[in-house]
Amino acid sequence: MLARVHDALLSGDRLPADPRGMVARSWRRVRAQGVNPDLGDPPDLMGADQVEARRAASPLQRVLPELRAALTSVAEDARHIMVITDADGVLLWREGSTAVRHRADRLGFTEGATWSEGVVGSNGIGTAIAEATPVQMFAAEHFVRSHHAWTCTACPVHDPRTGELLGVVDVSGPAETVHPTTVALVGTAVKLAEASLWRAHESRLEMLRNVAAPLLVDLRGPGLVADEHGWVAAVAGMPAVDRIAVPRSGHPVAIHGVGVCVPEPVPGGWLLRVDRADGSGRAPIRLELDLTRRPPRAIVDGANRWVHPLSTRHAEVLVLLAHAGAAGMDAGALSAALYGDREHLVTVRAEMSRLRRTLGGLLLGRPYRIAPEVDVVVEPDLGVLGASTAPGIRRIAACNPAATVAPVRPTG
């Protein structure tokens, strides 16, 4: 019956039955986008580097263990595969039945493929994104005929803090294996994943509260500490507030009942204090890179003083950024400086993500650079590095003659 409905729709004949409302809406959208129902070639695949970069950037990477525990073994037993995409519908991870994976390969239903409605027509993933709801797409409800042998059950995953779409979790397999409880199973797995994301958020805020405590004790007047997304970890001298506008370096933030506050980067987030009457808005911030110790250290002097042990790699990155100044460096330039080529983009982005979680607003992106209000000191002068300095940092100095300039250098 579904196949007859599908054929009648495409030929313009009278429909023998009405498709489900969600399916009818999806068919109208994909016809308007010019999708070919006899699509023969599978969608183009992204390169492995692009897939790895999207995986590294995806918040869903953090909840892979929960999703695997809930769905992978069930998918294998039921002749299904579990697929996880990003918000664009690009397949990032795929696990489950080996036989079904081989069948999926022939459709291009594999890592790096985009399964949005505009690319492959009505399907569980693309329609779940378009409808913003869980979707079970069965047999000829798929718009493209070569997909009629499949059933797909997909559920969107949202950021529990903001409601932003993070991606889609899908369980797919041969049409004859369809089961109505699959919708509930995938939905439950997604709820568990979203709960895990929320717990991780709470854990990061708790760590930021430990940083905030000494700051707020010594603060004159009202202030607060927030993470990089504007979620408030702790306040002092003001009513409690859950969230503020996303702090950005050099951009005052208006807080109801308090006034205009100036963001100051601190490890893991931002300190916001009421703008000073003298117009300065903030105390100077000094970042000292102490390369004389093993491990190297980053010493931050602002409203308070913190000492952060650094890995050798992170010390190398900070040395490079300190001497790049306001121009900063993109991932390719950092890869070339650290590894001798531009092929380690995924590794560089992962290292920068870890380093920015430690130093918070002191580091900016696009390109990577040290915030302009931070004065950087490198000790000792890279032109006179001692033998005790880590070899990697000595190599950075040797390859970057500009790094032998005076040890104190503002980045702004």
Side-chain angles (χ1 to χ4, degrees):
M1 174 60 75
L2 287 173
R4 291 200 298 273
V5 171
H6 183 275
D7 291 343
L9 175 79
L10 297 179
S11 64
D13 294 340
R14 181 175 178 275
L15 300 183
D18 291 328
R20 287 189 293 152
M22 176 194 67
V23 174
R25 290 192 300 272
S26 178
W27 285 357
R28 284 195 295 269
R29 285 193 298 267
V30 300
R31 293 184 77 189
Q33 294 177 80
V35 177
N36 181 4
D38 295 309
L39 183 71
D41 296 329
D44 293 335
L45 301 182
M46 292 184 176
D49 283 348
Q50 290 176 287
V51 174
E52 285 302 322
R54 284 179 177 255
R55 284 174 173 172
S58 173
L60 298 183
Q61 188 174 46
R62 303 172 193 156
V63 293
L64 277 178
E66 288 90 340
L67 292 171
R68 284 171 172 148
L71 295 175
T72 299
S73 61
V74 175
E76 288 176 346
D77 293 342
R79 295 169 54 208
H80 279 70
I81 53 176
M82 178 190 74
V83 166
I84 301 173
T85 81
D86 63 13
D88 297 323
V90 177
L91 273 66
L92 301 182
W93 294 278
R94 189 186 67 159
E95 300 178 1
S97 167
T98 301
V100 177
R101 288 205 306 271
H102 290 326
R103 290 182 61 177
D105 289 342
R106 294 193 288 272
L107 295 177
F109 192 48
T110 187
E111 293 89 337
T114 301
W115 275 65
S116 64
E117 283 190 337
V119 175
V120 295
S122 306
N123 70 94
I125 293 166
T127 304
I129 292 174
E131 294 276 328
T133 190
V135 167
Q136 186 167 57
M137 191 73 67
F138 175 68
E141 289 181 328
H142 291 88
F143 188 73
V144 175
R145 287 189 173 92
S146 59
H147 303 165
H148 287 186
W150 288 78
T151 180
C152 304
T153 304
C155 184
V157 188
H158 295 92
D159 188 325
R161 302 167 302 176
T162 65
E164 175 190 5
L165 177 67
L166 301 179
V168 173
V169 176
D170 171 83
V171 171
S172 293
E176 65 270 17
T177 64
V178 66
H179 199 286
T181 61
T182 309
V183 177
L185 176 64
V186 176
T188 299
V190 165
K191 288 178 181 177
L192 290 173
E194 290 175 344
S196 180
L197 289 171
W198 180 259
R199 288 194 299 272
H201 162 69
E202 289 284 3
S203 177
R204 288 191 294 271
L205 281 186
E206 186 59 35
M207 293 174 63
L208 190 53
R209 288 186 188 102
N210 294 332
V211 172
L215 288 174
L216 298 178
V217 166
D218 296 335
L219 199 62
R220 295 179 180 178
L224 58 84
V225 173
D227 70 6
E228 67 273 20
H229 301 291
W231 289 91
V232 177
V235 302
M238 59 177 284
V241 59
D242 290 331
R243 198 178 185 195
I244 60 171
V246 175
R248 290 186 295 160
S249 180
H251 293 261
V253 176
I255 300 176
H256 179 69
V258 177
V260 175
C261 293
V262 177
E264 173 185 325
V266 297
W270 299 84
L271 168 67
L272 289 92
R273 64 179 80 209
V274 175
D275 199 356
R276 293 179 176 177
D278 62 8
S280 64
R282 58 178 173 83
I285 303 170
R286 183 175 185 267
L287 171 62
E288 178 182 339
L289 303 178
D290 183 356
L291 309 179
T292 63
R293 295 176 180 261
R294 293 286 190 91
R297 304 186 304 168
I299 303 169
V300 181
D301 265 319
N304 284 273
R305 190 173 191 268
W306 306 272
V307 178
H308 304 278
L310 298 170
S311 68
T312 300
R313 178 65 73 215
H314 285 174
E316 291 171 4
V317 169
L318 289 173
V319 166
L320 288 167
L321 295 182
H323 292 278
M329 301 177 72
D330 63 17
L334 281 172
S335 176
L338 295 169
Y339 301 101
D341 59 51
R342 298 177 68 89
E343 306 302 319
H344 291 73
L345 302 183
V346 173
T347 303
V348 166
R349 292 186 181 111
E351 291 289 358
M352 289 305 303
S353 178
R354 286 189 282 268
L355 186 54
R356 293 179 75 185
R357 282 199 293 269
T358 299
L359 295 181
L362 296 177
L363 295 181
L364 306 178
R366 299 182 181 180
Y368 297 117
R369 63 200 186 279
I370 297 174
E373 66 268 31
V374 179
D375 290 337
V376 185
V377 178
V378 180
E379 296 290 351
D381 184 339
L382 293 185
V384 291
L385 288 175
S388 63
T389 307
I393 297 175
R394 293 204 305 274
R395 177 181 58 79
I396 291 293
C399 295
N400 293 270
T404 62
V405 299
V408 179
R409 178 174 177 175
T411 62

